[in-house]
Amino acid sequence: MKKPEKITARTTDFAKWYIDVIAQADLMNYGPIKGTIYFKPLGYKIWENIVRIVNSYFVRQKIENVYFPLLIPQDFIEKEKKHIKGFAPELLTITKVGDKSLAENIYIRPTSELLFADYFKAEIAKNNILPIKLNQWSQVLRWEKTTNPFLRNTEFLWQEGHTIHSSKTEAEQFAKKIARFYKDFLENYLSIPVILGKKTNREKFPGAFNTYTVESMMQNKRALQSATSHFLGQNFAKNFDIKFKNKKNETQIPFQTSWGISTRLIGAIVMAHSDDNGLILPPKIAPIQVDILEFFSKKNPEVKIFAKKVAKILKQKKISFQIDDSNEQIGFKINNSEVHGSPVRIEIGPNEVKNQQICLVRRDTREKIIFNISELKNKCPEILRKIQIDLLEKAKKRLSNNTVFVTTYKELKQEIIKGKFVIVPFNESAKKEAEIQEETTATARCIVPRTTIFNLPQSGISIFSGKKTTRFVLFAKSY
Amino acid sequence: MKKPEKITARTTDFAKWYIDVIAQADLMNYGPIKGTIYFKPLGYKIWENIVRIVNSYFVRQKIENVYFPLLIPQDFIEKEKKHIKGFAPELLTITKVGDKSLAENIYIRPTSELLFADYFKAEIAKNNILPIKLNQWSQVLRWEKTTNPFLRNTEFLWQEGHTIHSSKTEAEQFAKKIARFYKDFLENYLSIPVILGKKTNREKFPGAFNTYTVESMMQNKRALQSATSHFLGQNFAKNFDIKFKNKKNETQIPFQTSWGISTRLIGAIVMAHSDDNGLILPPKIAPIQVDILEFFSKKNPEVKIFAKKVAKILKQKKISFQIDDSNEQIGFKINNSEVHGSPVRIEIGPNEVKNQQICLVRRDTREKIIFNISELKNKCPEILRKIQIDLLEKAKKRLSNNTVFVTTYKELKQEIIKGKFVIVPFNESAKKEAEIQEETTATARCIVPRTTIFNLPQSGISIFSGKKTTRFVLFAKSY
């Protein structure tokens, strides 16, 4: 049996802490090729839970799932220069099959806009029906210089939604609606508060007209881009010559969107909530919500009977659980439960049986809660709900305590050094953004709407030009 | 709006009929690279239904889902010669990233035995816990010379299960158990009767000790290998140097299995059941079980009200349905329902409303069944169950009517020409199998157990050697 190993403290080395937490939690092993990982059962179950919840929203929105090829031909690559320029250095290229060289290179999708454009063109030519709203759950590959499990992988799992509409407004509204859904999903299911804003031109998706982004703050105050939704305008439609006939029988060019979340969210969950004892999972996404630990059950068969009774109650309440009835020591069992992130554990020994008591320990606060077993059916769901909310509130406090609004570049630099999220009045060129990045390593995360949690003024003075502006931009160091 | 197009008759050209049916049913479009397809919403939903049912069985068997990399490194490829020899000519090879050549080639998985072996080695070295039972839902790529939508694609979706066990018996029994599950699944959910047998050495999976196969018969009497389960022995474990310690602390080599079904099953469903009017789907796998067709509803609002009432009843009975309330002609609507394969349609016009009658048409028999709406809640589930069984019975009849047992090579040849499944006493070399294939194009589909539907004798005389044998082999032309 595996012995618990030490997890590096967050304050000592946050990057090492992250790797220790995911290793101890059995979320993944490294794959044989740089930047690839083996998703282990617990890591993959977290993703399956994300898929289930997000997919049910898509179904309600009448978005239909499809599966499109992994392979992109040479001539598609040549069609959309702006888009491909953004991905070219990361493209995995197939030049051979067996011993034989191919006449033309084939590329592995880094994203599938080109394939969806090709598909939309044929479908609309045949049926002239709009909108078409599609999604696929798949993987994409990008050869990244620096890789980090879940956060930046050569191959990662994601969903990519693609829609095509007859009107600009409809398409743009749809892209915004999906971005708002992503925000709700992160906050209500993953307990991760986010800032929903628009990317600057410098930071937007290659080929997009607008990119809406959902930015979150990790425990080391770094930003993590957690979901994006792109209004693509007519860019791909023009390059692929997609046309439809409107009600007046006039030929028109349609408008597209694309949007996605990925297994990067597993990394976000880990870095937003976990502590120096290991993984902490929000109850709504945890594959196992309750660990039932049997203590001394080999010598005390009544412990096993009591554990079964507890299990039966949890099952009735549709709470997921697992029973640890192994021969391991108490300390090992507790540690094992803690490193795997189950939101709650219930410890059962001869004393609990004698007193017909539940000894429940919250993983997040490590608070011990003791009550009669008759209360379990109400208490347990209530405590799980409380944990879900408390994790969000804790993360919200971190975000608001570490986000500042300043009005000069000098202050921006000072606050970035302190590790803050910094909002400034900023109506400047991409060149100025590049200069800020050069000097501070921080990037423009998004243009922040004034409707967020931060009290922004009606307008401000742009930090370089000195001109009045209503555009506020969030800068931060990021993953 | 798309107009119904003609479907080639099966008797005219079966291959063209197949392509027409899947095109009319909107199951797929061709992808831009040879042998790739765009899975359209209906085609993908059939796969989603297969995934849901099969996955729930895996969960009950405590098989855990994982996701492993798409990419295989050069040094893995060199480890298992027998296995790789079988796939080498089909391997897609990545030699470049962006403009830069890679130091070592990277291969796209044609199957993942090598990756699972690598993973098992590390896990067992760490924990020494057996068995490990894993599965992944993913895609694999094989560059095929001849491609056919769903049946043989460069890229296809599948599940691949991989287990590792401490004992040979446990592993082999597990491989057999999964094969039996596949048989049950095909018969009970897809209404496709199958022959479960063992592959000959010539036909088994590259690197396997034994391959169990599930063979079905299409309407043109061709065999389709529909699922396989391999007992891998210690082959991969030896090549990857996987070891565990038994209870006596002795170092031992474990035993493995692997098994899978793929989107080829979509092709099997189409070719087993559909007719010259288009797709026919078994109710248990149909994304839409009932099409509700409104006739003249624009001028007769009561038709729409009646359709809603019908929909409400179907919803209560958890029957999936869709309403066609378009402005199309009656003939178009009926044709549209037929080509998309929904097992049942309910036609609602002013007459039905007046008589409070349901006019239900079975897709498979085109039988019209009329009854009062009050009976719908019982009748509709009953009819769907009946269709499920009738499709299986019809296919069973086809299989038994077209499978013959003969005792000489001459008869074998005659029956193969007639398009039959032919069982012969056969205890011969791979060379003899090759000769038969050369002369007849038929291959050994499997060694048939005497427990199948066919009345085989206790023993026979092997067709070439003239020696007594209890080994009976099924030969047939196949996909």
Side-chain angles (χ1 to χ4, degrees):
Chain A
M1 251 302 182
K2 180 182 61 163
K3 283 197 204 107
E5 284 162 41
K6 224 166 153 54
I7 293 171
T8 307
R10 283 163 290 181
T11 49
T12 307
D13 184 341
F14 192 84
K16 187 148 192 324
W17 165 80
Y18 173 70
I19 297 297
D20 289 348
V21 169
I22 61 179
Q24 289 295 309
D26 290 311
L27 299 187
M28 64 99 213
N29 285 354
Y30 287 104
I33 305 261
K34 183 183 88 93
T36 66
I37 56 175
Y38 294 111
F39 285 80
K40 297 179 76 166
L42 187 66
Y44 193 72
K45 271 182 205 152
I46 296 171
W47 181 240
E48 285 184 316
N49 283 345
I50 292 173
V51 171
R52 183 175 41 76
I53 297 160
V54 172
N55 197 62
S56 75
Y57 171 80
F58 292 163
V59 169
R60 289 196 300 280
Q61 299 302 316
K62 302 203 186 305
I63 296 161
E64 295 188 291
N65 282 339
V66 293
Y67 181 76
F68 283 8
L70 180 80
L71 305 176
I72 303 179
Q74 180 74 41
D75 63 316
F76 280 22
I77 294 289
E78 281 154 17
K79 276 192 184 163
E80 222 300 9
K81 295 284 156 55
K82 248 190 274 176
H83 174 65
I84 283 303
K85 214 182 133 196
F87 289 106
E90 303 170 3
L91 277 182
L92 282 87
T93 310
I94 299 162
T95 63
K96 285 166 68 179
V97 169
D99 287 339
K100 290 176 194 149
S101 289
L102 290 166
E104 283 206 321
N105 290 347
I106 295 173
Y107 301 89
I108 299 183
R109 64 179 168 218
T111 177
S112 304
E113 274 71 15
L114 302 174
L115 293 156
F116 277 84
D118 178 58
Y119 176 85
F120 286 144
K121 181 183 165 74
E123 282 299 296
I124 295 168
K126 195 167 84 179
N127 299 324
N128 199 50
I129 299 172
L130 288 172
I132 306 176
K133 297 189 273 185
L134 303 178
N135 176 63
Q136 79 176 356
W137 294 97
S138 65
Q139 90 276 56
V140 286
L141 281 83
R142 299 171 187 176
W143 195 262
E144 302 275 2
K145 278 195 196 101
T146 324
T147 60
N148 204 346
F150 301 121
L151 301 173
R152 198 169 289 274
N153 279 124
T154 302
E155 178 184 14
F156 56 92
L157 304 178
W158 78 347
Q159 67 59 218
E160 52 177 319
H162 296 263
T163 66
I164 188 158
H165 307 259
S166 56
S167 95
K168 185 181 170 183
T169 313
E170 186 185 298
E172 184 143 29
Q173 289 306 319
F174 194 83
K176 284 186 192 174
K177 182 183 178 175
I178 294 287
R180 284 195 301 272
F181 162 71
Y182 287 148
K183 175 178 160 69
D184 289 348
F185 172 71
L186 265 95
E187 296 186 342
N188 296 327
Y189 288 88
L190 310 187
S191 296
I192 301 176
V194 300
I195 299 169
L196 197 175
K198 206 158 79 173
K199 287 283 182 194
T200 62
N201 275 337
R202 184 171 185 255
E203 297 286 340
K204 74 184 181 185
F205 180 73
F209 192 84
N210 271 329
T211 289
Y212 301 94
T213 182
V214 153
E215 301 280 329
S216 57
M217 179 188 274
M218 301 295 100
Q219 287 186 67
N220 62 349
K221 325 290 169 13
R222 285 225 189 179
L224 186 80
Q225 178 181 303
S226 304
T228 49
S229 182
H230 316 293
F231 169 55
L232 301 172
Q234 296 174 309
N235 196 8
F236 290 89
K238 280 180 186 165
N239 283 305
F240 273 78
D241 198 25
I242 311 177
K243 284 170 190 161
F244 72 101
K245 298 231 168 184
N246 67 9
K247 283 173 187 164
K248 294 177 200 156
N249 213 30
E250 298 159 338
T251 301
Q252 307 254 294
I253 300 169
F255 299 84
Q256 287 174 262
T257 77
S258 70
W259 25 277
I261 54 163
S262 77
T263 39
R264 168 172 258 211
L265 289 181
I266 299 173
I269 296 166
V270 174
M271 290 199 300
H273 303 307
S274 304
D275 64 18
D276 292 350
N277 301 304
L279 185 64
I280 296 179
L281 291 172
K284 284 190 190 174
I285 214 76
I288 303 292
Q289 294 173 307
V290 179
D291 282 331
I292 300 172
L293 310 187
E294 293 183 2
F295 295 159
F296 312 112
S297 59
K298 297 291 169 230
K299 286 186 184 164
N300 302 275
E302 74 275 14
V303 166
K304 206 169 269 299
I305 295 166
F306 196 77
K308 286 229 173 83
K309 206 169 150 186
V310 167
K312 202 179 157 188
I313 295 166
L314 296 183
K315 203 176 171 187
Q316 280 167 356
K317 302 302 285 183
K318 290 184 177 151
I319 292 167
S320 59
F321 64 88
Q322 66 186 5
I323 300 178
D324 183 350
D325 61 354
S326 67
N327 291 323
E328 301 291 343
Q329 303 282 323
I330 292 184
F332 179 94
K333 289 189 178 193
I334 291 174
N335 180 74
N336 193 48
S337 171
E338 292 207 326
V339 296
H340 289 98
S342 303
V344 149
R345 69 175 183 266
I346 293 176
E347 302 178 353
I348 304 175
N351 268 338
E352 280 72 32
V353 180
K354 200 178 68 189
N355 302 325
Q356 292 289 299
Q357 253 176 8
I358 296 294
C359 173
L360 181 153
V361 185
R362 279 177 64 154
R363 172 66 188 87
D364 61 333
T365 57
R366 303 178 106 187
E367 181 192 357
K368 198 169 264 193
I369 307 170
I370 293 171
F371 49 86
N372 192 277
I373 188 172
S374 63
E375 295 181 80
L376 181 63
K377 65 176 190 296
N378 295 324
K379 275 270 189 189
C380 192
E382 181 191 312
I383 291 166
L384 289 170
R385 275 195 297 274
K386 185 83 169 40
I387 294 171
Q388 185 77 34
I389 292 165
D390 286 357
L391 287 174
L392 177 63
E393 287 308 315
K394 195 175 166 189
K396 265 189 183 167
K397 245 178 226 156
R398 185 190 315 127
L399 177 60
S400 59
N401 287 345
N402 291 287
T403 305
V404 294
F405 172 65
V406 300
T407 55
T408 66
Y409 184 41
K410 194 182 161 191
E411 290 167 300
L412 184 151
K413 283 187 282 187
Q414 287 167 345
E415 297 295 337
I416 289 292
I417 288 168
K418 289 188 213 159
K420 302 283 180 179
F421 271 28
V422 188
I423 301 173
V424 287
F426 190 85
N427 199 359
E428 312 280 350
S429 65
K431 202 165 152 268
K432 286 289 173 203
E433 276 178 56
E435 283 172 26
I436 294 175
Q437 184 176 4
E438 181 72 25
E439 197 170 349
T440 67
T441 75
T443 49
R445 303 315 306 154
C446 64
I447 302 161
V448 187
R450 279 208 310 287
T451 53
T452 54
I453 40 172
F454 313 107
N455 274 322
L456 298 179
Q458 283 293 320
S459 66
I461 304 299
S462 191
I463 57 168
F464 296 118
S465 71
K467 284 181 188 156
K468 188 177 164 181
T469 183
T470 57
R471 190 175 182 264
F472 295 94
V473 173
L474 168 67
F475 283 86
K477 292 188 185 182
S478 77
Y479 279 95
Chain B
M1 253 300 179
K2 179 183 58 157
K3 281 196 205 109
E5 283 162 43
K6 221 162 158 56
I7 294 171
T8 307
R10 282 162 292 180
T11 49
T12 307
D13 184 342
F14 192 84
K16 185 147 194 321
W17 166 80
Y18 172 70
I19 298 296
D20 289 349
V21 169
I22 61 178
Q24 289 295 308
D26 289 311
L27 299 187
M28 65 100 214
N29 284 356
Y30 287 104
I33 305 261
K34 183 183 89 93
T36 66
I37 56 175
Y38 293 111
F39 285 80
K40 295 178 76 166
L42 188 65
Y44 193 72
K45 270 182 206 150
I46 296 172
W47 181 239
E48 285 184 316
N49 283 346
I50 292 174
V51 172
R52 184 174 41 76
I53 297 160
V54 172
N55 197 62
S56 76
Y57 171 80
F58 293 163
V59 169
R60 289 197 301 279
Q61 298 303 316
K62 302 206 184 305
I63 296 161
E64 295 189 289
N65 281 340
V66 293
Y67 182 77
F68 283 6
L70 179 80
L71 305 177
I72 302 179
Q74 181 74 42
D75 63 317
F76 281 22
I77 294 289
E78 282 154 16
K79 276 193 185 165
E80 222 299 11
K81 295 285 155 56
K82 250 189 276 177
H83 174 67
I84 281 304
K85 216 181 130 194
F87 289 106
E90 304 170 1
L91 278 181
L92 283 89
T93 310
I94 298 162
T95 62
K96 286 166 66 179
V97 169
D99 287 338
K100 289 175 195 150
S101 289
L102 290 166
E104 285 206 319
N105 290 346
I106 295 174
Y107 301 89
I108 298 183
R109 62 176 170 221
T111 176
S112 304
E113 274 71 15
L114 303 173
L115 294 155
F116 277 84
D118 177 58
Y119 176 84
F120 286 143
K121 182 183 164 74
E123 282 299 296
I124 295 168
K126 196 167 81 179
N127 299 324
N128 199 51
I129 299 172
L130 288 172
I132 305 176
K133 297 189 271 185
L134 302 178
N135 174 63
Q136 78 176 359
W137 294 97
S138 65
Q139 91 276 57
V140 286
L141 281 84
R142 299 171 188 177
W143 194 263
E144 301 276 3
K145 277 193 198 106
T146 325
T147 60
N148 204 349
F150 301 121
L151 301 173
R152 199 170 287 276
N153 279 122
T154 302
E155 178 185 15
F156 56 93
L157 304 179
W158 78 346
Q159 72 50 223
E160 51 177 318
H162 297 263
T163 66
I164 188 159
H165 306 259
S166 54
S167 96
K168 186 181 167 182
T169 313
E170 184 184 300
E172 184 142 29
Q173 290 305 319
F174 194 84
K176 283 186 192 173
K177 182 183 179 174
I178 294 287
R180 284 196 301 271
F181 162 71
Y182 287 147
K183 175 177 159 69
D184 289 349
F185 172 70
L186 263 94
E187 296 186 340
N188 297 326
Y189 287 89
L190 311 186
S191 295
I192 301 176
V194 299
I195 299 169
L196 196 175
K198 208 158 79 173
K199 286 283 181 194
T200 60
N201 276 336
R202 183 171 186 254
E203 296 286 340
K204 72 184 184 186
F205 179 73
F209 191 85
N210 271 330
T211 289
Y212 301 96
T213 181
V214 154
E215 301 280 329
S216 58
M217 180 188 273
M218 302 296 99
Q219 288 185 67
N220 62 350
K221 325 291 170 10
R222 284 227 187 178
L224 187 80
Q225 177 182 303
S226 304
T228 49
S229 181
H230 317 294
F231 169 55
L232 301 172
Q234 295 175 310
N235 195 8
F236 290 89
K238 280 179 185 163
N239 284 305
F240 273 78
D241 197 25
I242 311 178
K243 285 170 189 160
F244 72 101
K245 299 230 168 185
N246 68 9
K247 281 173 189 166
K248 296 175 199 156
N249 213 33
E250 298 158 340
T251 300
Q252 307 255 295
I253 299 168
F255 299 83
Q256 286 175 261
T257 79
S258 70
W259 25 277
I261 55 163
S262 77
T263 40
R264 167 172 258 213
L265 288 180
I266 299 172
I269 296 167
V270 174
M271 290 200 300
H273 304 306
S274 305
D275 64 17
D276 291 351
N277 300 305
L279 185 64
I280 296 179
L281 291 172
K284 283 191 188 172
I285 214 77
I288 303 291
Q289 295 172 307
V290 179
D291 281 331
I292 301 172
L293 310 186
E294 293 184 2
F295 294 159
F296 313 112
S297 60
K298 298 291 170 235
K299 284 185 184 164
N300 301 276
E302 73 276 14
V303 166
K304 207 170 268 302
I305 295 165
F306 196 77
K308 286 230 173 82
K309 208 169 148 187
V310 167
K312 203 179 156 189
I313 295 166
L314 297 182
K315 203 176 171 186
Q316 279 167 356
K317 302 302 288 182
K318 289 185 178 150
I319 292 167
S320 59
F321 64 89
Q322 66 187 5
I323 301 177
D324 183 351
D325 61 353
S326 68
N327 292 324
E328 301 291 343
Q329 303 282 322
I330 291 183
F332 180 93
K333 289 188 178 193
I334 291 174
N335 180 75
N336 193 48
S337 171
E338 292 208 325
V339 297
H340 288 98
S342 304
V344 149
R345 68 175 183 266
I346 293 176
E347 302 178 353
I348 304 174
N351 269 336
E352 281 70 34
V353 180
K354 201 179 68 192
N355 301 325
Q356 291 291 297
Q357 252 175 9
I358 297 294
C359 173
L360 182 152
V361 185
R362 277 175 65 154
R363 173 64 187 88
D364 60 335
T365 57
R366 300 177 107 183
E367 181 192 355
K368 199 169 264 195
I369 306 170
I370 293 171
F371 49 85
N372 191 276
I373 188 170
S374 63
E375 295 180 80
L376 181 64
K377 65 176 189 296
N378 295 323
K379 276 270 187 191
C380 192
E382 184 191 311
I383 292 166
L384 290 170
R385 274 194 299 272
K386 186 83 170 44
I387 294 171
Q388 185 78 31
I389 293 165
D390 287 356
L391 287 174
L392 177 63
E393 288 307 316
K394 195 174 167 190
K396 266 190 183 165
K397 246 178 227 155
R398 185 190 315 128
L399 177 61
S400 58
N401 288 345
N402 291 288
T403 305
V404 295
F405 172 65
V406 300
T407 55
T408 65
Y409 185 40
K410 194 182 158 193
E411 291 167 298
L412 185 151
K413 283 187 283 188
Q414 287 167 345
E415 297 295 336
I416 289 291
I417 287 167
K418 289 189 212 156
K420 302 282 178 179
F421 271 29
V422 188
I423 301 174
V424 288
F426 190 85
N427 198 1
E428 311 280 351
S429 65
K431 205 169 147 264
K432 287 287 173 206
E433 276 178 56
E435 284 172 26
I436 295 176
Q437 183 175 7
E438 183 70 25
E439 197 171 347
T440 68
T441 76
T443 48
R445 304 315 306 153
C446 62
I447 303 162
V448 187
R450 281 207 309 284
T451 53
T452 54
I453 40 169
F454 314 106
N455 275 321
L456 299 179
Q458 284 293 320
S459 66
I461 305 296
S462 192
I463 57 168
F464 294 118
S465 70
K467 285 182 190 156
K468 189 177 165 183
T469 182
T470 58
R471 190 174 181 264
F472 295 94
V473 173
L474 168 68
F475 284 86
K477 294 190 184 180
S478 76
Y479 279 97

